[in-house]
Amino acid sequence: MALSVQQQQQQQQQASISSATIPSRESSASTLLSVKEACKQGDLTRAFRSLATSPRCPPQEAYSSILELCASRKAPLQGRQVHSHIVKSNSLSDDGFLRTKLIFMYGKCGRLRDAEKLFDEMPSRSIFAWNALVGAYAANARPSLAIATFQEMRVSGILPDACTLASVLKACGALEDVYTGTATHGLAVKCGLDTTGFVSNALVSMYAKCGRFGSARRLFERMDEERDVVSWNSIISACLQDGQFFEVLTLFREMQRASIPMNSYTTVGVLQACAELSLPRLGMEIHASLLKNDAKLEIYECNALVVLYARCGRIGDAMQVFCEMEEKDNVSWNSMLSGYVQNGLYQEAIDFFCEILGLGFEADQVSLISVASASGRSGNRLHGKEVHAYAMRRGLDSDLQVGNTLIDMYSKCDFVDYAEHVFYKLHSKDCVSWTTMIAGCAQNSRHSKAVELFRRVQADGMKADSMMIGSILQACSGMACLPLLKQVHGNAIRHGLLDLVLNNTIIDVYGECGKVSRACRVFGTIRDKDVVSWTSMITCYANNGLLYEALCLFRDMVAAAVEPDAVSLIPVLAAAAGLSSSMKGKEIHGFMYRRRYLTEGTVGSSLVDMYARCGEIENSFKVFGDVRRKDLVLWTAMIDASGMHGRGEEAIRLFRGLQATGIVPDEVTFLALLYACSHSGLVDEGRYYLDMMTREYGLEAWPEHYACLVDLLGRSGRTDEAFEFIKSMPVKPTAAVWCALLGACRVHLNHKLGRIAAEKLLELEPESPGNYVLISNVFAAMRNWEEVGAVRATMERRGLKKEPACSWIEVGKKVHTFVARDGSHKESVAIHWKLAEMIESVKKEGGYAENTKFVLQDVPEEEKKKMLHGHSERLAMAFGMLHAPKGTPIRITKNLRVCGDCHEFTKLVSKRYEQEIIVRDANRFHHFRGGSCSCRDFW
């Protein structure tokens, strides 16, 4: 059939349209293919170039692909360029597809204002647009806006889908808003969406974050076959939040048995549980599994491995993982930095921080907190100031956590004024800020300032927590202020702050204030006493002279099945040493041996000191020899023990051994060495080591060091030389210096210098009864009874009392105590009979004659002799002669210095009865054997 003209014209028109459309479609398809290929490879630059060089308007699918890539890469700049391209190409159609994609992209990139603007400009909004905005708020820590937008969406009549509910549930979890979360759960059930995979997972996560772990677990159990890797990750995350780290590992094993392959989120969660439980072996197995699969480790997996190894003390493995990371973020750098700090490698942390700054790393709050903490703990003031300056340049010094750490850092470096400057510069201070500042003042002996700050906290109506109370208690201890301590204790009771740690601290402080009864009452109120509670109470007893009570309480502690630690053994050993009870000391040592305690560190030093103070210096040397790692404290304890027993040459030999190990001696070591020289009459050596201390080691001599040399010169009879030395001292002489000179003047009858020393002593310490007794004795030695009477009258007027002489001896398992002319002992008659026999025997066979010059009272000669016979150490000696097993030394302890006549009498007794007698007086040990004394009459 022939076509009409009109039909022919129509066919020609259609053919011409088709021929024009074909290249356009081909061009669009080519652009879409090119963009999709570039996006698939993650090449944002090439994708954008393909888009820009397209001759025609690109299809929506091309824009969609590149916007999704911008969102995943969080590239807002490129995303904005794509947005501009869309606008120029008039591709923003009314269907809202690209607008929704743009909202999604801006939300992922954190550009909420751009997302909101696009959303507001939409003529009509689909469920996808609402989801994009709700998701943007939820993902950018705006949970309240996410919930509000969701509620607005419901008001507009749009029904939510699974994506909407997942985002809203995430927002509820972030706010810990279980009410809205439960309502959303109900809506999901009504809509039949509660069994949808990611809604179920979001519900598990929401309940976990709201502290409803039971609900989260029940939901997970109901999922059964619908569980995927996300479900398992959700419940693992829930367990982590609830602190159920063992449960995490159990779930991980169940997940493996269910043949669910783990992903990066699973790996991170399980590694976190391993870190919390200090299980490096399991973490290493997971690490090996990841490497075996030849998979490239994600950055957050590597970060989790760094944290795990660092937390488990394997800092070398942590560094290896860190160095092998191809890409590092701030979490990577901070994890490694905090790992050094956690392992006490403070200088390494500082060096690492300086190194990464040089590599272009910009520190954030977390890294500044770590490095400031390292500077404080290492006492590195200079670097601490540099960290502070860096924080100021970056504007981070006003951050609350950074500011609190800087306060702590300066306090630990003894820069309290700098700490105060940071404290007052903080615009908003929390309880941690005040607590840190109060603690810094208390730790640096600014006790009044600490109390002032605490008063301000109370005046401002801020609630103190147990940490703040603990800090102010430290100030109470430093001030020894009982009224303030009672107020703080009462405040803690009224506000219900008394936990176990605070109760233990209160026991300590009451003990330091000498209020043992109050400490006992607090101790009695603690139901579940831990080892610190028992140790605090034992220390309280020991430090307040209640040595028997300390030992009895230790026995009760063991009976209560509380395992002592090294710290609790130290006051117990000190109590045994204070009683000179070698039997008790050996029992404690045996207890340690049976429980396999290591005699290292402070325990080893305490054992050395205990045996030395119990008169068993050979056992001190044995313990010293058994310790493998000898530190400065142990060497010092052994030097001090040697000096205490008059072994000055041995002390010098030990000091040379210390030097040979490369350990640097400190002021205390030199004090022990000078003390040893003083008690052995080593004048030249004493001068030499005092000079070495200042010149060779650059240590500043304390008044105690000078007092030792004055004592050494004085004991050697060089009282005038000692006085000249005092006048040449670079520091003002203390009471101890004048006391040493006065004691020497009494022995060597230098009355002129004695008067000068007495005047200086009373100027410095007018309320010390010991000083008046010493001055009275000096005047008595001069036979100046008028002055003696005046001194004693002054003591009486001031209410000062002389400490009575007392001696004690351990026989069997009991300590027996005696005072001068004691008649109270149940065996008093036998003791006095035995003593009379001993006196008579040494008179006949040893030529003993009482030296009454040591009786410093104006009484008849015969009365003086009777007073000498009744001295407490002689009574203890007689008791020992009656009961001590044959062949064992008699060990006597006296609270005051042994008088010269008793010293001579004991030498004669040791020879006449062939009995070794060991006497510990207020100054030193005397080993009497065969008629001679270890002190060589120099004491």
Side-chain angles (χ1 to χ4, degrees):
M1 174 184 281
L3 295 174
S4 67
V5 174
Q6 186 178 4
Q7 288 175 329
Q8 290 177 356
Q9 287 176 342
Q10 288 175 348
Q11 287 178 352
Q12 289 175 358
Q13 187 177 8
Q14 288 173 357
S16 118
I17 291 170
S18 294
S19 64
T21 306
I22 289 171
S24 174
R25 287 176 180 171
E26 289 177 354
S27 174
S28 296
S30 173
T31 300
L32 177 61
L33 185 64
S34 177
V35 169
K36 279 194 170 183
E37 183 64 26
C39 289
K40 186 178 179 180
Q41 295 176 4
D43 192 340
L44 186 58
T45 304
R46 187 158 66 88
F48 191 76
R49 189 182 300 119
S50 298
L51 193 71
T53 56
S54 173
R56 299 277 182 179
C57 175
Q60 287 190 337
E61 290 87 345
Y63 285 125
S64 174
S65 297
I66 197 167
L67 284 172
E68 286 178 3
L69 181 59
C70 289
S72 65
R73 288 294 182 85
K74 290 184 170 52
L77 184 62
Q78 289 86 342
R80 190 180 289 279
Q81 290 176 322
V82 175
H83 186 181
S84 176
H85 199 281
I86 292 171
V87 171
K88 288 178 181 178
S89 64
N90 293 318
S91 297
L92 282 179
S93 59
D94 291 338
D95 63 5
F97 175 74
L98 285 182
R99 291 181 190 271
T100 301
K101 285 290 182 179
L102 283 166
I103 293 169
F104 176 79
M105 181 274 296
Y106 280 128
K108 285 289 184 180
C109 294
R111 298 298 180 93
L112 293 180
R113 289 187 179 180
D114 292 323
E116 289 168 344
K117 184 179 178 183
L118 272 166
F119 183 81
D120 291 340
E121 291 173 351
M122 293 181 75
S124 62
R125 298 158 186 157
S126 67
I127 180 64
F128 306 108
W130 285 99
N131 286 349
L133 189 61
V134 172
Y137 285 137
N140 286 278
R142 297 289 191 277
S144 298
L145 288 175
I147 293 171
T149 304
F150 168 65
Q151 290 169 345
E152 184 184 344
M153 166 187 155
R154 292 197 64 194
V155 168
S156 67
I158 303 292
L159 288 175
D161 63 6
C163 292
T164 321
L165 296 177
S167 296
V168 174
L169 288 169
K170 180 180 179 180
C172 293
L175 290 170
E176 297 183 14
D177 183 357
V178 72
Y179 177 80
T180 306
T182 306
T184 308
H185 186 182
L187 179 63
V189 173
K190 286 181 183 178
C191 297
L193 298 172
D194 59 313
T195 57
T196 306
F198 51 91
V199 173
S200 298
N201 296 337
L203 282 167
V204 170
S205 178
M206 181 274 294
Y207 280 120
K209 287 178 180 176
C210 291
R212 302 294 180 89
F213 179 76
S215 300
R217 189 61 191 259
R218 283 192 296 273
L219 276 170
F220 176 76
E221 297 296 341
R222 288 177 194 163
M223 292 170 70
D224 199 18
E225 295 182 1
E226 289 84 14
R227 296 175 194 159
D228 57 7
V229 67
V230 179
S231 312
W232 287 96
N233 288 345
S234 297
I235 194 64
I236 285 173
S237 176
C239 290
L240 286 171
Q241 291 169 33
D242 199 51
Q244 299 193 38
F245 306 116
F246 281 111
E247 187 66 17
V248 169
L249 302 183
T250 303
L251 287 166
F252 177 60
R253 295 301 186 198
E254 289 180 16
M255 179 180 172
Q256 289 181 311
R257 284 194 292 270
S259 300
I260 304 293
M262 66 179 186
N263 62 12
S264 299
Y265 293 101
T266 320
T267 303
V268 171
V270 177
L271 288 174
Q272 185 179 339
C274 292
E276 293 292 342
L277 296 170
S278 295
L279 295 174
R281 187 175 296 278
L282 179 57
M284 292 173 77
E285 289 176 8
I286 295 170
H287 189 185
S289 173
L290 293 170
L291 295 175
K292 195 180 293 184
N293 293 333
D294 293 326
K296 179 184 175 183
L297 296 184
E298 297 287 346
I299 188 169
Y300 32 87
E301 291 175 320
C302 292
N303 291 341
L305 283 167
V306 170
V307 171
L308 164 72
Y309 287 132
R311 290 279 293 274
C312 294
R314 304 177 71 94
I315 198 69
D317 291 332
M319 177 53 79
Q320 183 177 348
V321 173
F322 178 81
C323 291
E324 290 174 356
M325 292 174 68
E326 294 180 7
E327 183 184 355
K328 301 178 180 73
D329 60 7
N330 270 27
V331 177
S332 315
W333 299 101
N334 290 335
S335 298
M336 197 65 233
L337 184 60
S338 63
Y340 279 124
V341 177
Q342 289 164 10
N343 286 274
L345 302 170
Y346 305 128
Q347 189 55 50
E348 287 81 353
I350 293 169
D351 294 341
F352 179 75
F353 180 73
C354 295
E355 180 184 343
I356 61 179
L357 283 182
L359 295 173
F361 168 73
E362 290 189 0
D364 57 11
Q365 290 94 326
V366 177
S367 43
L368 285 174
I369 288 168
S370 293
V371 75
S373 178
S375 301
R377 293 178 189 179
S378 63
N380 193 329
R381 301 177 178 184
L382 180 60
H383 192 267
K385 288 183 177 181
E386 290 174 350
V387 172
H388 188 186
Y390 182 91
M392 291 176 69
R393 288 197 299 272
R394 296 290 310 279
L396 296 173
D397 59 320
S398 58
D399 178 84
L400 187 58
Q401 287 186 306
V402 173
N404 291 343
T405 308
L406 287 171
I407 293 168
D408 181 63
M409 180 268 293
Y410 279 127
S411 298
K412 283 184 169 62
C413 292
D414 302 331
F415 277 5
V416 186
D417 292 336
Y418 283 78
E420 279 193 77
H421 175 75
V422 176
F423 175 75
Y424 288 117
K425 193 177 176 183
L426 286 174
H427 299 300
S428 59
K429 302 174 183 68
D430 61 2
C431 189
V432 176
S433 313
W434 287 95
T435 301
T436 307
M437 193 65 245
I438 290 170
C441 291
Q443 290 161 11
N444 288 277
S445 301
R446 303 273 188 97
H447 307 304
S448 298
K449 183 67 178 178
V451 173
E452 178 191 328
L453 289 168
F454 183 65
R455 297 292 189 209
R456 285 182 57 187
V457 168
Q458 292 178 309
D460 291 346
M462 185 185 297
K463 288 185 178 180
D465 60 8
S466 57
M467 291 291 291
M468 187 181 293
I469 296 294
S471 298
I472 199 63
L473 282 172
Q474 190 174 358
C476 295
S477 172
M479 298 171 74
C481 182
L482 186 61
L484 178 63
L485 172 57
K486 289 179 182 178
Q487 290 176 31
V488 174
H489 188 188
N491 181 283
I493 293 171
R494 287 193 302 275
H495 291 90
L497 298 174
L498 285 181
D499 56 13
L500 183 60
V501 174
L502 206 52
N503 272 321
N504 294 341
T505 306
I506 289 171
I507 292 171
D508 284 332
V509 182
Y510 272 127
E512 288 164 7
C513 291
K515 295 299 175 181
V516 180
S517 59
R518 288 183 174 272
C520 282
R521 283 200 291 273
V522 176
F523 180 73
T525 62
I526 302 174
R527 290 185 180 179
D528 299 317
K529 300 176 179 69
D530 63 359
V531 65
V532 180
S533 311
W534 289 94
T535 303
S536 296
M537 196 63 235
I538 291 169
T539 304
C540 174
Y541 278 138
N543 290 347
N544 285 279
L546 300 172
L547 307 178
Y548 298 111
E549 288 81 354
L551 294 174
C552 290
L553 192 61
F554 177 72
R555 182 190 60 205
D556 294 343
M557 173 184 174
V558 175
V562 177
E563 186 66 23
D565 58 11
V567 178
S568 57
L569 290 169
I570 293 168
V572 179
L573 289 169
L579 290 169
S580 294
S581 176
S582 61
M583 187 168 294
K584 294 290 184 187
K586 286 177 180 177
E587 286 177 7
I588 298 163
H589 193 183
F591 172 86
M592 294 167 57
Y593 183 80
R594 291 190 300 275
R595 300 293 181 98
R596 300 184 182 277
Y597 283 96
L598 294 175
T599 55
E600 301 286 334
T602 52
V603 175
S605 306
S606 297
L607 275 170
V608 165
D609 184 67
M610 182 273 293
Y611 277 122
R613 293 184 184 279
C614 290
E616 300 202 11
I617 185 68
E618 298 307 326
N619 279 336
S620 291
F621 275 105
K622 187 175 184 305
V623 171
F624 177 77
D626 289 343
V627 176
R628 293 180 181 178
R629 298 177 182 176
K630 298 176 175 65
D631 59 10
L632 178 61
V633 178
L634 182 65
W635 282 99
T636 302
M638 197 65 243
I639 291 169
D640 185 53
S642 299
M644 195 187 303
H645 287 266
R647 298 188 177 189
E649 293 84 357
E650 186 72 38
I652 291 172
R653 185 187 67 78
L654 284 163
F655 180 76
R656 289 171 180 164
L658 162 68
Q659 288 179 304
T661 64
I663 297 174
V664 179
D666 63 6
E667 294 89 345
V668 181
T669 311
F670 277 103
L671 187 60
L673 184 60
L674 290 172
Y675 170 85
C677 293
S678 173
H679 285 278
S680 298
L682 304 175
V683 178
D684 294 336
E685 289 83 350
R687 286 182 178 278
Y688 171 76
Y689 286 113
L690 181 61
D691 183 67
M692 174 191 285
M693 172 185 171
T694 55
R695 289 182 181 276
E696 189 172 328
Y697 288 97
L699 299 173
E700 185 177 344
W702 298 343
E704 291 83 357
H705 295 100
Y706 294 118
C708 267
L709 194 59
V710 170
D711 185 58
L712 175 55
L713 292 168
R715 286 175 189 274
S716 304
R718 305 182 187 183
T719 51
D720 291 325
E721 189 176 344
F723 183 56
E724 290 303 318
F725 175 77
I726 291 172
K727 290 194 291 186
S728 67
M729 281 169 50
V731 295
K732 186 178 179 180
T734 61
V737 173
W738 292 113
C739 191
L741 180 62
L742 183 59
C745 290
R746 182 181 69 82
V747 173
H748 297 287
L749 304 176
N750 189 331
H751 300 155
K752 181 181 177 182
L753 276 182
R755 285 183 178 277
I756 295 172
E759 290 173 4
K760 296 289 186 181
L761 189 57
L762 289 182
E763 283 179 14
L764 293 169
E765 290 185 349
E767 298 299 326
S768 171
N771 293 341
Y772 286 95
V773 172
L774 181 56
I775 292 168
S776 173
N777 291 343
V778 170
F779 288 134
M782 296 163 57
R783 297 300 184 260
N784 189 340
W785 303 114
E786 185 179 342
E787 293 280 8
V788 170
V791 171
R792 289 177 179 170
T794 302
M795 286 184 69
E796 186 175 348
R797 188 171 63 253
R798 289 178 176 268
L800 304 175
K801 293 183 178 180
K802 175 187 174 183
E803 182 183 8
C806 174
S807 298
W808 56 94
I809 181 172
E810 184 179 24
V811 174
K813 290 190 175 182
K814 187 175 180 182
V815 177
H816 300 261
T817 307
F818 300 90
V819 294
R821 297 187 181 187
D822 198 346
S824 63
H825 198 279
K826 64 180 182 179
E827 297 183 45
S828 181
V829 175
I831 292 169
H832 283 279
W833 180 86
K834 181 64 177 178
L835 179 57
E837 176 202 296
M838 291 162 58
I839 292 170
E840 190 63 29
S841 179
V842 295
K843 278 185 176 182
K844 286 182 180 179
E845 300 186 27
Y848 169 67
E850 296 88 344
N851 189 345
T852 57
K853 77 173 187 177
F854 292 104
V855 179
L856 304 174
Q857 295 189 37
D858 187 16
V859 294
E861 198 69 14
E862 285 304 314
E863 183 64 22
K864 289 181 179 181
K865 290 180 181 180
K866 288 181 182 179
M867 292 174 75
L868 288 172
H869 295 168
H871 278 187
S872 61
E873 59 265 48
R874 298 196 194 199
L875 296 173
M877 194 187 312
F879 182 77
M881 295 292 286
L882 286 170
H883 293 285
K886 193 173 181 179
T888 61
I890 293 174
R891 303 177 188 277
I892 299 166
T893 304
K894 186 175 182 180
N895 63 334
L896 303 178
R897 187 175 180 271
V898 172
C899 82
D901 187 69
C902 288
H903 190 268
E904 189 64 26
F905 175 76
T906 309
K907 286 198 297 183
L908 295 172
V909 169
S910 71
K911 182 178 181 181
R912 165 66 184 81
Y913 292 91
E914 298 180 354
Q915 174 68 56
E916 182 181 0
I917 302 170
I918 301 172
V919 178
R920 170 187 167 187
D921 69 6
N923 288 340
R924 57 170 299 150
F925 272 90
H926 301 265
H927 293 257
F928 297 95
R929 190 185 295 113
S932 63
C933 179
S934 60
C935 73
R936 291 170 290 184
D937 298 334
F938 187 86
W939 90 101

